[in-house]
Amino acid sequence: MMHDMKNIKPLHIPPTKRFKGLYVYCYKCKTNMQDICKATGKSLKNCPNGDRHVFKCYVNVPGKKNERKTKKFETRDINEAIKQAIEFRKEVQEGNYNKENIVEVEKEVETQKEVETQSKNEIQKKEVKIEKNNEPKLLINAMARYVGYLHNDPEIVPEYKIEIRDKRYIEDIERNLKHFVICLKKNGYNPNELTLEDVNDQIIGKFHSYILNELKLSNASYNRVMTQLTSFYNYHINEGYQAKNPFKTIPRKPVNPNIETITEEEYKNLLEIIQKQELGKNALSTGKIRNMYKSWVKDAIELGLLTGRRNEEIVQMKWNDIFTDEKGNFLYIKATDFKVSRQKDQEMKNPKPIYVPITDELKDLLLRIGFEKYKGSDKYILAPEETMQRDIINRFISRSFSHYYKLLKTGRHLSYKCLRKTYISRLSGFMGIDNARLITKHSGTQVMEQHYVDKKVIAHTARKFKMFEHDTESREDELEKIRNKNNEKTLER
């Protein structure tokens, strides 16, 4: 029977059968899991270590803040596991649990007051235990734990330390950790045998070449990868692992961001061809043809340029977000800064508002696309009758923009993001970057200058600047007044 153990299917808890405190525990990775295998980074359903999986349940002991009971279930049936978890929870809460059935009893760190009253011998024992935990960790296991930390695995991250991270941010880190493992294998290293301390300058040199020569990443992407791996080591060092961070001293590549904005001519040409349905056919690499035409994409592009907001914000704007004064004059659109709100874990509770000024151009657009029909309603400003989900509309706008802009054959590769950069650049040129920041709500001008403001646009805006124009006009005005006074005296005589 032993030779069939590897054929045992991995355990998995479907979203519809989640039960508080019930997890799949892997004795290979030594961690809890729900959807993602920490060893492969793929779906848990495809985990190769199904024979090492068990169902585990964790229940807090009533009246004891820092104590909980853990029980391992022998069953591999999720319905039976849920049934046993319910019974186990009831036993613990009623204080009738059988201690012989408890596989593990986990206690959190004792309070500072209790630690201070411990004897010297107990403190020494605790120090010895900490030192044992700091023995060299396998690199692959350290990566799995770090990914669990990013996903806020309850066995790794206590509730008060939970930090909500963007899904794409986590996926990018997972992808680059995977690239590091691939690089190790290509160069003859076994990542299952390497420890964190085994990563040296020679290995990093191999990874450096792999990033630049095989992945062909830009300088900015190179810096991002190295920063992510620096953070990976910092996490384990902060957790008490005694080691140096080999990525900390890696020199970063120089980055001169080329901030591209769309020109007036390109913008007008794009709005013209994006209305042509016959040009919407886009051949994918798989050979499949996808239609990138939608009548409301033109509105999305105009809204993007005239509001300067991100596409995910534009697709969520509603007609009742438009504010007017008592006379009906347009004032502003109250939008939501989803990016900052997510970073601060305020997307649902207290999202950051952005007040978009309604210029004459934006006013004309709003009137044209249905303000009188939808004003005050809970309908979306963009494509109010579209049945497509908003997150899909978000992605469709970006793809459609790139597809149609490519047809202009300008020799440049602009994306939908360029509209926001164009707005901020033009606004900064018109009223100064410090004043523009009050509208864009950036935390400082440095981010704007590095990532949004096109210096060519600022230079173009200043082309009519005259060094002494104000002084010259003042002297001419004074001379004109003198002449007028002399003429008045002549007439009186």
Side-chain angles (χ1 to χ4, degrees):
M1 294 293 292
M2 292 300 293
H3 64 280
D4 292 329
M5 290 295 288
K6 285 293 181 182
N7 295 325
I8 295 179
K9 291 183 179 180
L11 296 180
H12 175 251
I13 304 177
T16 55
K17 295 188 177 182
R18 298 277 167 82
F19 181 80
K20 184 178 180 180
L22 183 63
Y23 297 94
V24 173
Y25 184 85
C26 178
Y27 279 98
K28 174 72 174 177
C29 299
K30 297 186 178 356
T31 186
N32 291 323
M33 299 176 291
Q34 280 190 337
D35 300 309
I36 305 298
C37 173
K38 303 297 173 63
T40 64
K42 298 180 180 179
S43 172
L44 189 58
K45 296 179 181 179
N46 301 319
C47 177
N49 303 311
D51 60 309
R52 310 294 299 277
H53 290 181
V54 295
F55 285 119
K56 268 190 180 183
C57 187
Y58 303 82
V59 181
N60 292 325
V61 178
K64 296 185 179 181
K65 184 177 180 182
N66 297 318
E67 184 177 339
R68 61 182 175 182
K69 305 299 180 182
T70 306
K71 186 172 183 179
K72 178 182 75 174
F73 303 135
E74 299 299 330
T75 182
R76 298 187 69 81
D77 180 79
I78 179 60
N79 294 320
E80 179 62 26
I82 293 174
K83 181 180 177 181
Q84 293 184 28
I86 293 173
E87 293 175 354
F88 176 59
R89 177 177 290 278
K90 184 178 179 182
E91 290 175 355
V92 174
Q93 291 177 343
E94 293 178 354
N96 298 324
Y97 54 88
N98 184 351
K99 293 184 179 180
E100 293 180 356
N101 292 331
I102 305 299
V103 178
E104 299 175 39
V105 177
E106 299 180 351
K107 287 189 176 181
E108 304 295 339
V109 178
E110 295 175 312
T111 61
Q112 184 64 30
K113 184 177 180 180
E114 292 172 332
V115 172
E116 290 174 354
T117 59
Q118 284 180 332
S119 67
K120 292 183 178 180
N121 290 335
E122 289 175 328
I123 294 175
Q124 289 173 355
K125 289 179 181 178
K126 179 171 282 190
E127 289 175 350
V128 170
K129 184 178 179 181
I130 293 173
E131 288 176 1
K132 289 183 178 179
N133 289 337
N134 289 335
E135 291 176 355
K137 293 182 179 180
L138 288 178
L139 179 65
I140 201 74
N141 291 342
M143 288 182 173
R145 182 174 180 82
Y146 185 59
V147 171
Y149 158 74
L150 295 174
H151 282 282
N152 293 313
D153 188 317
E155 282 301 292
I156 300 173
V157 184
E159 186 175 354
Y160 72 93
K161 282 189 176 182
I162 289 178
E163 180 180 348
I164 305 300
R165 299 174 179 85
D166 189 274
K167 181 181 177 181
R168 291 168 295 183
Y169 168 77
I170 298 176
E171 288 175 348
D172 187 50
I173 294 176
E174 291 176 337
R175 182 167 48 251
N176 289 324
L177 289 175
K178 185 177 180 180
H179 282 316
F180 188 53
V181 172
I182 293 173
C183 174
L184 290 172
K185 291 180 179 179
K186 283 192 172 187
N187 287 279
Y189 297 98
N190 186 349
N192 294 311
E193 296 179 355
L194 290 175
T195 67
L196 285 171
E197 289 185 331
D198 289 330
V199 178
N200 52 28
D201 287 343
Q202 185 178 7
I203 289 177
I204 295 177
K206 301 284 186 184
F207 188 50
H208 164 91
S209 300
Y210 176 76
I211 291 175
L212 296 179
N213 300 329
E214 293 195 40
L215 298 183
K216 299 186 183 302
L217 298 185
S218 65
N219 284 2
S221 296
Y222 174 93
N223 293 344
R224 188 175 69 254
V225 174
M226 291 302 179
T227 299
Q228 289 173 358
L229 283 164
T230 301
S231 299
F232 161 65
Y233 265 84
N234 283 340
Y235 164 75
H236 288 287
I237 292 171
N238 292 335
E239 289 293 300
Y241 182 74
Q242 302 299 319
K244 292 183 179 180
N245 191 333
F247 288 92
K248 187 176 182 179
T249 57
I250 302 300
R252 300 309 192 245
K253 296 287 183 182
V255 177
N256 295 313
N258 184 22
I259 302 172
E260 295 281 6
T261 55
I262 194 167
T263 66
E264 182 179 7
E265 182 181 4
E266 290 173 338
Y267 176 67
K268 290 180 178 179
N269 291 338
L270 181 63
L271 292 183
E272 181 179 347
I273 70 167
I274 210 162
Q275 299 178 75
K276 297 181 179 180
Q277 187 171 356
E278 66 276 11
L279 298 179
K281 294 180 180 180
N282 181 32
L284 303 179
S285 57
T286 58
K288 183 179 179 180
I289 302 297
R290 175 179 290 171
N291 185 10
M292 304 310 301
Y293 171 81
K294 286 285 185 180
S295 59
W296 40 259
V297 173
K298 176 178 179 291
D299 301 336
I301 292 175
E302 292 186 84
L303 277 171
L305 183 70
L306 299 179
T307 64
R309 302 313 307 168
R310 304 176 184 91
N311 47 349
E312 67 172 336
E313 298 165 9
I314 286 169
V315 300
Q316 296 293 340
M317 287 180 181
K318 295 184 177 181
W319 290 102
N320 55 13
D321 292 328
I322 298 175
F323 287 78
T324 59
D325 61 17
E326 296 177 353
K327 296 181 180 180
N329 298 314
F330 287 83
L331 297 175
Y332 55 83
I333 301 176
K334 185 180 179 181
T336 300
D337 191 329
F338 290 111
K339 181 179 179 181
V340 172
S341 298
R342 275 196 302 270
Q343 291 173 345
K344 296 184 177 180
D345 192 19
Q346 297 177 343
E347 187 172 1
M348 301 301 295
K349 297 179 182 178
N350 187 27
K352 177 186 176 182
I354 292 290
Y355 299 94
V356 181
I358 300 179
T359 62
D360 289 341
E361 291 176 304
L362 180 55
K363 172 186 172 181
D364 292 341
L365 172 63
L366 295 173
L367 290 171
R368 191 167 72 245
I369 64 178
F371 175 78
E372 294 299 335
K373 179 180 179 180
Y374 297 107
K375 63 180 177 180
S377 73
D378 198 39
K379 290 274 191 179
Y380 293 106
I381 294 178
L382 178 66
E385 306 302 332
E386 178 60 64
T387 57
M388 187 187 299
Q389 293 181 1
R390 289 285 130 176
D391 59 333
I392 298 178
I393 292 178
N394 183 11
R395 294 192 294 271
F396 187 89
I397 291 171
S398 296
R399 292 167 181 166
S400 181
F401 180 97
S402 299
H403 167 72
Y404 276 99
Y405 182 83
K406 187 177 180 180
L407 298 180
L408 294 179
K409 298 181 179 180
T410 64
R412 299 198 297 164
H413 301 281
L414 295 188
S415 66
Y416 188 85
K417 294 179 181 179
C418 77
L419 300 176
R420 175 168 166 78
K421 296 176 183 178
T422 303
Y423 176 90
I424 294 176
S425 296
R426 295 279 176 177
L427 186 65
S428 298
F430 173 74
M431 59 191 306
I433 191 169
D434 287 310
N435 292 327
R437 186 179 68 84
L438 299 177
I439 293 176
T440 64
K441 291 298 179 182
H442 282 92
S443 57
T445 59
Q446 184 177 0
V447 173
M448 296 173 67
E449 291 177 352
Q450 289 182 349
H451 302 286
Y452 292 101
V453 177
D454 187 344
K455 307 304 186 295
K456 298 187 295 295
V457 171
I458 300 298
H460 182 72
T461 305
R463 72 191 187 283
K464 293 183 179 181
F465 167 74
K466 291 182 180 179
M467 187 64 67
F468 300 111
E469 181 177 14
H470 180 72
D471 291 344
T472 302
E473 289 180 352
S474 298
R475 288 196 297 272
E476 289 178 350
D477 289 342
E478 291 176 1
L479 290 172
E480 184 66 25
K481 289 179 182 179
I482 294 172
R483 292 192 193 99
N484 291 336
K485 288 182 178 179
N486 290 336
N487 291 334
E488 287 175 1
K489 290 179 179 180
T490 301
L491 291 174
E492 288 177 357
R493 291 175 184 174

